[in-house]
Amino acid sequence: MKFKYITLLFAITVLLASCTKDFEKINTNPNAPETTSTEFLMSDVLVSTAYAYQENAVDRRPASAARYLTLVRNTGYDLLDWGPVDWDDIYARLAVNKTFLETAQKRSENQYIAISKIMKAFNFGYLTDLYGDIPYSQALKSKEANLIYPEYDQQQTIYPDLLRELKEANNLLKSNVQEINAKGDVMFKGNALAWRKFANSLRLRMLLRISKNYAPAFTEMQEIVNDKTAFPIFESSADNAEIAYLGNMATYSWPGGPLAMIDFDYLKTKVSKELVDRLMERNDPRLAVWVEPVKSTVGSTIDFNKYVGVPNAIDAPSAYNGGEDHVSVFSSSFFRKNGGSANPLLKASLVTYTEQCFILAEALQKGKITLNGETAESMYYKAIKESMSSYGVTAAQSYYNQPLVKYDGTLVQLITQKWMAMLFKGSEGWFDQRRTGYPAFVTGPLAAGRGIPKRYIYPDSESAKNKTNYQKAVSAFGTDNQYTLMWYLK
């Protein structure tokens, strides 16, 4: 993580221009930034984090691992042959967030201290979700402690600390009376309660994620849901932690749209067979919103349905089912509305109310928490209906009466519905699949390795420049490959 020295303003420009990249290398200076306002730093952290996270959800490795899409030009992403992945991009955002925190501390602006803690937890949480053990306590300290090559922290120590940061942020905002600048707050327009809800809903996500190996997980979840005054959480989709797309230039457009800058291999993607088949099996009304029908069924060679998904990791995917006219693509009228302008239903989402409903449904189904007036079944249905509503559709009761949809208390049913609802919503589709094994994906005949990857391989720069700490970290957990289980998955 040795960053080259340039000015903060240029670093921010690079961040905004490259936030749609999957941890591509950039030059930034986290250690000697120019003085600027906390509001400006806040808006930069929010926009760069949200847009980069959404880009990963739409057309990067997490989208391929979640089997939402299929590349018709086979690459390592679709074949699950990933190799090392750079993390400079996310550490650069964390560096700006660190400057944001330090600036707020100098000015005794507790409201911004709290927001920086939330964004620290989100970004470091995502980083450890991707890699496992990472530089954390010594990260971003190359100036004050001369730590150019930091040691790695174990995930089991990182996660509790991030949960502590979120709890502290909630408490700061509860007692703080200082105003949040609405213009600088591009996510919640200065609403402190909304920030508290985000912090606590993010805690619920993180606690469920580590619940297998973190003993207090469900106790802490219960504490949150027991007291909505002390720990407010999302109450509707209006509370979602997300940022709209302006759609007036590539940087501010939905990833993959006409104005967005996307890699050559993503110029032609198809909807995966995994997604289309599961939606069709359930007569799901979201299918017609998300997916376009084939141009023609005449000439189809394998699948004669109106909607046809392409299997992953197959030979000659562009020729599947008779070629381009006989397979489905994602809806251009929905995902690429009005020639690239922003569709108001599409935002860069960090955490949503729909996801929270599924999180609570799973915890209730496991019998680990109780929720006044709710059951696992009621939260399951609420989650589905909320997802439908967020895309402007309403399912008839006949949808919910179908055997595959009617609540049966199984984890496979719940997670499959969550997976469909989380289409292009962060990396949750992949993270839930590797945590639960559901849905049971078909990786494809040309896929590399042993199923869906469990993590990213560390960047080449770490084994080359931070070799001692890299080797120490790897020796502690096994092998640096994409199938090694991180702490909370063991």
Side-chain angles (χ1 to χ4, degrees), residues 325-457:
D325 290 344
H326 311 290
V327 294
S328 293
V329 296
F330 285 106
S331 174
S332 59
S333 63
F334 183 77
F335 289 104
R336 304 176 185 182
K337 190 176 182 180
N338 299 329
S341 64
N343 185 329
L345 294 178
L346 296 174
K347 298 178 182 179
S349 303
L350 301 183
V351 182
T352 67
Y353 177 63
T354 295
E355 180 190 351
Q356 180 185 283
C357 289
F358 277 114
I359 288 169
L360 295 175
E362 183 177 344
L364 286 164
Q365 185 170 283
K366 292 177 183 292
K368 298 296 185 179
I369 68 168
T370 59
L371 187 58
N372 187 34
E374 299 287 358
T375 63
E377 181 176 0
S378 68
M379 292 305 299
Y380 164 80
Y381 286 130
K382 186 176 290 187
I384 298 172
K385 291 175 182 178
E386 197 64 30
S387 174
M388 298 274 188
S389 178
S390 67
Y391 290 104
V393 297
T394 302
Q397 186 57 43
S398 58
Y399 172 81
Y400 298 99
N401 291 337
Q402 297 177 96
L404 285 175
V405 179
K406 187 175 183 178
Y407 181 72
D408 63 10
T410 64
L411 187 60
V412 60
Q413 182 194 57
L414 191 152
I415 295 298
T416 299
Q417 278 287 349
K418 184 181 180 184
W419 170 74
M420 292 188 295
M422 296 306 291
L423 171 68
F424 297 155
K425 298 290 185 184
S427 299
E428 297 309 299
W430 172 33
F431 291 164
D432 277 329
Q433 200 280 336
R434 71 181 187 182
R435 176 176 65 89
T436 67
Y438 304 124
F441 294 143
V442 177
T443 55
L446 301 184
R450 307 184 301 276
I452 302 297
K454 305 301 183 184
R455 61 182 288 272
Y456 281 0
I457 298 173

Side-chain angles (χ1 to χ4, degrees), residues 171-226:
N171 292 335
L172 274 173
L173 290 169
K174 179 182 178 181
S175 58
N176 180 63
V177 295
Q178 293 168 285
E179 182 181 359
I180 300 171
N181 184 289
K183 291 184 179 179
D185 182 2
V186 294
M187 187 145 62
F188 293 125
K189 310 303 179 187
N191 188 329
L193 178 58
W195 276 104
R196 292 180 64 201
K197 290 180 178 180
F198 176 31
N200 294 312
S201 295
L202 180 57
R203 281 180 67 198
L204 291 175
R205 171 199 278 181
M206 295 172 72
L207 286 166
L208 180 62
R209 180 161 293 156
I210 65 174
S211 60
K212 181 180 179 181
N213 289 313
Y214 181 64
F218 292 112
T219 301
E220 293 182 22
M221 290 182 74
Q222 188 69 64
E223 179 188 35
I224 293 171
V225 299
N226 275 352

Side-chain angles (χ1 to χ4, degrees), residues 34-45:
E34 297 177 357
T35 301
T36 189
S37 70
T38 43
E39 292 86 355
F40 178 80
L41 291 166
M42 173 176 61
S43 63
D44 178 66
V45 170

